[in-house]
């Protein structure tokens, strides 16, 4: 039985699969003695719904609508894989700075040497506690996991699931505001080895406290689901939340990752700390970053050289990066200076259009290649333990193939769309880049991505050569980006002859690289809320479904009261499907229209 206060009314939720009238009357009379005017009883005779994921089972009664999204299983699987690889790396490296001390005299636990002291984990926003339960049951050597949530309803769900999975010795439920809880663990002796922040929406309110509550060398895991903001739909909101201006561009998902990393780095720098990304990925409707946090005021000075502004052409969407600072090695010391710029003229050199400025973004590596390789090998060994094992292997393989030190990317469909030409195959375009002497790879965020160290001028030369071999049928508007680009002659000789290395290894192995939509309505779900009125909510959603389409059809129907001008001149070819009225007395117009339809 769970009691919570809402709108100054005590609401009692009783979940039971079998409750007779006598029990109902006893419970109701007992509760009404508290305050008959302020108490209400809701009896839910629906049994618990058991959801199994990994080795965990969570219970979801209909009267306790705690947030759960099955599409996020990939997120949770990937988090478990990262933590396992992180702990393995810490145990093997005796010189690690993670604060995890290894006792070699102790026996191994799950193939990992047992640590001398306990490994503590905080899940700041746990909801049903599913993630914490999975951590406890699937990751060895964890001694304490604090599953926290500010919702009383969520905490009660956690307690039930912790007890059901028999992990009371490891998982401790907590009801506290997440940021306050992390601020309370800022001191060195109270810090966590691992912190997981997976909020509904933006993690911005929790970043400042999170970077302070992680041990030196500890692991911080952050999820962001506010992709519209990060991908340029509301750049002013992005600057307010993350301290960077987002841009609408085809590589927006990678830019979202780099904006989030820049924001975490900015928060960490204020306390003499810095980040080292071990894995960053964009999947489904969110981005997820895994970073190590270290303390070193001297290395913090190098952070400026890891950030860059982005100049994006509004015509051809060519981008250029401007580093915020420079770090120059001079004998035994480093010299820091502001970056030189801008890297572009007032107008784009390719299409003579203006530029937009975004950033700053994280311009360094998004991942640690050695860490990702070790993780991939571990996942391949334990693929059957993960519900999304095939997708994990495919995603990690594509990430390993990505070029390092090449921030952002182009997409083949957009390059061809700018000049309105037919699109070559990915193998042809990648072969052309390789034949020109440059490197190229995919990005795990987009299946048509072109991540390359070739300059933009080379890419446009390849497009020009392709249009010469496959003419553009559409008439180009004067002064458009397409006309200006195609009026120039290629400066290099382009060859589209296919190369074997143009076909990535992950494609040759038929790995699951880019996930299709797993189920209908698979995106971010609505915020968790009580289910006492869930039926009314569903009814409202069904009633509002297609509201705009209905309004539009009604407005089009109202045009029937106006006469059709084309019908009068005998040129209307829509017949009964015409939006305007043909019902008026004009025999001559009707005859003209019939002749027009016959000729047509």
């Amino acid at each position: 039985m769970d009691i919570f206060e809402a709108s100054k009314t005590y609401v009692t939720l009783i979940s039971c699969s079998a409750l007779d009238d006598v029990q109902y009357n006893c419970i109701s009379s007992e509760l009404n003695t508290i305050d008959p005017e302020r108490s209400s009883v809701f009896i839910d005779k629906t049994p618990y719904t058991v959801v199994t994921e990994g080795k965990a089972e969570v219970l979801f009664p209909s009267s306790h609508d705690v947030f759960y999204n099955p599409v996020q299983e990939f997120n949770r699987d990937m988090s478990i894989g990262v933590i396992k690889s992180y702990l393995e790396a810490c145990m093997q490296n005796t010189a690690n700075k993670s604060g995890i001390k290894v006792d070699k005299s102790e026996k191994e636990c799950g193939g990992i040497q047992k640590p001398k002291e306990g490994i503590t984990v905080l899940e700041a926003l746990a909801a049903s506690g599913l993630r914490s339960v999975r951590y406890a049951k699937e990751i060895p050597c964890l001694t304490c996991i604090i599953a926290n949530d500010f919702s009383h309803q969520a905490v009660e769900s956690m307690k039930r699931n912790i007890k059901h999975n028999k992990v009371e010795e490891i998982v401790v439920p907590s009801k506290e505001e997440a940021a306050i809880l992390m601020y309370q663990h800022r001191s060195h002796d109270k810090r966590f080895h691992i912190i997981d922040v997976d909020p509904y929406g933006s993690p911005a309110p929790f970043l400042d406290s999170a970077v302070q509550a992680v041990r030196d060398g500890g692991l911080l895991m952050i999820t962001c689901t506010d992709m519209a903001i990060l991908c340029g739909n509301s750049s002013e909101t992005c600057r307010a939340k993350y301290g960077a201006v987002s841009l609408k561009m085809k590589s927006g998902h990678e830019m979202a990752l780099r904006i989030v990393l820049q924001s975490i780095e900015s928060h960490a720098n204020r306390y003499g700390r810095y980040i080292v990304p071990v894995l960053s990925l964009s999947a489904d409707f969110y981005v997820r970053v895994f970073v190590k946090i270290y303390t070193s005021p001297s290395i913090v000075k190098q952070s400026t050289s890891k950030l860059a502004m982005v100049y994006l052409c509004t015509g051809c969407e060519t981008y250029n990066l401007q580093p915020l600072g420079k770090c120059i090695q001079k004998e035994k010391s480093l010299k820091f200076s502001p970056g030189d710029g801008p890297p572009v003229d007032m107008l784009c050199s390719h299409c003579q259009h203006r530029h937009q400025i975004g950033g700053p973004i994280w311009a360094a590596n998004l991942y640690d290649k050695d860490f990702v390789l070790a993780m991939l090998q571990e996942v391949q060994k334990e693929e059957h333990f993960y519900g999304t094992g095939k997708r994990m292997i495919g995603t990690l393989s594509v990430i390993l193939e990505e070029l390092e030190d090449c921030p952002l990317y182009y997409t083949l469909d957009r390059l061809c769309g700018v000049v309105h030409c037919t699109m070559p195959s990915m193998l042809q375009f990648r072969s052309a880049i390789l034949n020109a002497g440059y490197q190229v790879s995919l990005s795990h965020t987009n299946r048509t991505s072109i991540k390359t160290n070739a300059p933009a001028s080379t890419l446009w030369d390849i497009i020009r050569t392709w249009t010469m071999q496959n003419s553009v049928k559409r008439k180009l508007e004067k002064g458009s980006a397409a006309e200006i680009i195609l009026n120039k002659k290629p400066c290099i000789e382009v060859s589209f002859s296919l190369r074997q290395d143009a076909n990535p290894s992950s494609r040759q192995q038929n790995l699951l690289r880019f996930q299709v939509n797993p189920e209908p309505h698979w995106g971010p779900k609505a915020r968790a809320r009580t289910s006492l009125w869930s039926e009314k909510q569903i009814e409202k959603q069904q009633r509002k479904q297609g509201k705009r389409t209905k309004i539009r059809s009604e407005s089009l129907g109202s045009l029937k009261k106006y006469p059709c001008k084309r019908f009068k001149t005998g040129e209307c070819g829509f017949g009964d499907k015409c939006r305007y009225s043909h019902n008026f007395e004009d025999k001559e117009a009707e005859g003209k229209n019939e002749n027009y339809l016959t000729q047509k």
Side-chain angles (χ1 to χ4, degrees):
M1 181 184 301
D2 305 323
I3 302 177
F4 64 92
E5 189 172 1
S7 301
K8 297 183 178 180
T9 300
Y10 294 106
V11 181
T12 303
L13 304 177
I14 304 172
S15 295
C16 182
S17 58
L19 191 67
D20 56 30
D21 295 336
V22 176
Q23 292 173 319
Y24 173 83
N25 293 331
C26 291
I27 294 173
S28 299
S29 59
E30 184 177 346
L31 289 169
N32 289 334
T33 57
I34 301 173
D35 190 343
E37 296 180 357
R38 295 179 60 199
S39 63
S40 301
V41 178
F42 297 88
I43 305 299
D44 179 16
K45 296 188 178 183
T46 305
Y48 291 111
T49 300
V50 179
V51 177
T52 302
E53 187 178 295
K55 294 182 179 179
E57 286 187 352
V58 289
L59 307 176
F60 289 100
S62 61
S63 59
H64 289 62
D65 186 12
V66 180
F67 188 83
Y68 172 72
N69 192 346
V71 179
Q72 288 275 38
E73 182 181 2
F74 176 69
N75 185 330
R76 291 182 281 268
D77 284 349
M78 192 67 79
S79 300
I80 291 171
V82 168
I83 294 175
K84 282 184 176 180
S85 300
Y86 166 74
L87 293 177
E88 180 69 30
C90 290
M91 302 306 175
Q92 291 179 356
N93 184 10
T94 55
N96 74 80
K97 299 179 182 180
S98 62
I100 301 176
K101 298 178 181 179
V102 178
D103 187 355
K104 295 184 178 180
S105 63
E106 294 288 341
K107 296 180 180 180
E108 293 187 354
C109 56
I112 300 176
Q113 286 183 322
K114 194 171 182 178
K116 217 172 190 179
E117 60 180 16
I119 298 175
T120 56
V121 180
L122 169 65
E123 186 185 2
L125 303 157
S128 64
L130 170 60
R131 192 183 295 258
S132 293
V133 171
R134 288 197 62 187
Y135 287 172
K137 300 192 75 170
E138 299 178 35
I139 302 174
C141 299
L142 300 182
T143 54
C144 179
I145 302 173
I146 296 180
N148 177 75
D149 204 288
F150 194 54
S151 166
H152 172 81
Q153 192 174 349
V155 174
E156 292 302 318
S157 177
M158 273 186 244
K159 292 178 180 178
R160 180 172 52 253
N161 292 322
I162 291 168
K163 185 178 180 180
H164 178 74
N165 288 273
K166 300 178 182 179
V167 289
E168 298 95 329
E169 295 182 358
I170 300 177
V171 183
V172 180
S174 167
K175 183 181 182 297
E176 184 63 83
E177 203 282 321
I180 294 176
L181 178 62
M182 288 187 281
Y183 279 129
Q184 292 172 349
H185 288 76
R186 286 179 296 177
S187 58
H188 293 276
D189 57 330
K190 292 183 179 180
R191 286 177 176 172
F192 298 98
H193 294 95
I194 302 168
I195 292 182
D196 191 337
V197 181
D198 189 353
Y200 182 90
S202 173
F206 311 105
L207 295 181
D208 187 76
S209 56
V211 296
Q212 299 181 67
V214 182
R215 292 201 178 195
D216 203 31
L219 184 66
L220 177 61
M221 306 183 290
I222 302 290
T223 301
C224 306
T225 59
D226 53 339
M227 293 300 292
I229 293 172
L230 289 167
C231 291
N233 278 4
S234 183
S235 57
E236 68 282 356
T237 305
C238 184
R239 194 219 62 81
K241 290 186 175 182
Y242 298 98
V245 175
S246 57
L247 295 173
K248 280 189 178 180
M249 56 192 306
K250 281 295 184 178
S251 57
H253 286 82
E254 182 176 324
M255 188 170 183
L257 281 170
R258 295 184 179 277
I259 287 175
V260 174
L261 289 173
Q262 173 274 148
S263 183
I264 301 173
E265 173 80 350
S266 175
H267 283 283
N269 289 167
R270 298 165 196 172
Y271 307 101
R273 316 191 82 184
Y274 64 97
I275 68 170
V276 176
V278 296
L279 179 63
S280 307
L281 59 94
S282 171
D284 299 327
F285 50 83
Y286 60 89
V287 291
R288 178 80 162 164
V289 297
F290 305 85
V291 300
K292 291 180 182 179
I293 304 289
Y294 293 100
T295 303
S296 175
S298 60
I299 297 181
V300 168
K301 295 179 181 179
Q302 302 176 21
S303 293
T304 309
S305 60
K306 300 175 186 176
L307 305 178
M309 302 298 291
V310 181
Y311 288 79
L312 177 67
C313 174
T314 58
C316 62
E317 297 188 15
T318 301
Y319 62 83
N320 290 272
L321 268 64
Q322 170 60 54
L324 289 186
K326 294 187 294 184
C327 180
I328 304 171
Q329 181 75 39
K330 283 200 170 182
E331 295 181 355
K332 294 183 180 181
S333 62
L334 293 173
K335 184 178 180 181
F336 305 98
S337 63
D340 299 328
V344 294
D345 295 329
M346 183 68 70
L347 297 177
C348 174
S349 59
H350 305 289
C351 68
Q352 298 301 304
H353 282 65
R354 60 185 180 84
H355 290 91
Q356 291 179 337
I357 305 176
I361 65 170
W362 177 264
N365 291 336
L366 292 175
Y367 56 88
D368 182 338
K369 201 163 189 175
D370 294 334
F371 181 92
V372 176
L373 180 60
M375 180 180 170
L376 175 60
Q377 293 171 349
E378 289 298 319
V379 173
Q380 288 174 334
K381 293 177 185 177
E382 303 177 346
E383 180 183 348
H384 58 284
F385 287 119
Y386 300 101
T388 60
K390 290 184 179 180
R391 186 182 179 189
M392 291 174 67
I393 292 173
T395 301
L396 292 173
S397 299
V398 175
I399 289 174
L400 282 174
E401 293 171 352
E402 287 185 17
L403 290 179
E404 298 182 273
D405 301 323
C406 290
L408 307 181
Y409 57 83
Y410 296 96
T411 60
L412 182 55
D413 56 336
R414 186 55 192 154
L415 288 173
C416 295
V418 170
V419 297
H420 310 295
C421 71
T422 58
M423 193 170 74
S425 69
M426 285 292 291
L427 289 181
Q428 287 176 311
F429 198 84
R430 287 165 61 94
S431 296
I433 295 174
L434 293 171
N435 291 330
Y438 298 99
Q439 295 176 300
V440 63
S441 74
L442 286 172
S443 168
H444 75 279
T445 63
N446 194 306
R447 64 172 64 247
T448 63
S449 54
I450 302 293
K451 184 181 280 286
T452 179
N453 58 354
S457 57
T458 299
L459 299 182
W460 289 121
D461 280 342
I462 295 174
I463 293 293
R464 291 187 190 101
T465 305
W466 176 258
T467 57
M468 291 168 64
Q469 299 176 6
N470 303 269
S471 59
V472 179
K473 296 181 180 180
R474 180 174 174 177
K475 186 177 180 180
L476 301 179
E477 185 180 347
K478 189 174 181 180
S480 65
E483 188 216 21
I484 296 172
I485 290 173
L486 295 182
N487 281 344
K488 298 178 182 178
K489 293 183 178 180
C491 298
I492 63 171
E493 186 176 344
V494 178
S495 171
F496 290 100
S497 58
L498 297 182
R499 294 177 48 141
Q500 187 174 359
D501 54 349
N503 192 11
S505 174
S506 59
R507 184 173 182 267
Q508 295 178 22
Q509 298 176 43
N510 293 321
L511 299 179
L512 181 58
R513 303 179 299 163
F514 301 99
Q515 174 71 54
V516 296
N517 294 353
E519 60 182 23
H521 313 295
W522 61 278
K525 290 194 173 183
R527 236 180 242 277
R529 59 188 67 181
T530 180
S531 285
L532 298 176
W533 299 274
S534 59
E535 293 183 1
K536 293 184 178 180
Q537 179 112 10
I538 294 171
E539 182 185 346
K540 181 181 178 182
Q541 290 174 351
Q542 293 174 346
R543 189 173 67 252
K544 296 291 185 180
Q545 187 72 29
K547 177 182 175 182
R548 293 183 180 179
T549 306
K550 292 176 184 176
I551 294 173
R552 185 171 178 271
S553 61
E554 289 173 0
S555 63
L556 292 177
S558 63
L559 298 176
K560 280 290 185 182
K561 61 184 179 181
Y562 299 106
C564 177
K565 293 181 180 179
R566 290 187 177 181
F567 184 80
K568 285 185 176 181
T569 59
E571 298 177 354
C572 182
F574 294 102
D576 295 336
K577 296 181 180 180
C578 183
R579 299 175 183 175
Y580 298 92
S581 175
H582 291 181
N583 297 326
F584 53 92
E585 296 179 358
D586 192 340
K587 299 294 183 182
E588 185 179 351
E590 188 173 351
K592 289 180 181 179
N593 196 68
E594 288 179 358
N595 293 334
Y596 176 78
L597 289 173
T598 304
Q599 294 173 3
K600 189 176 180 182

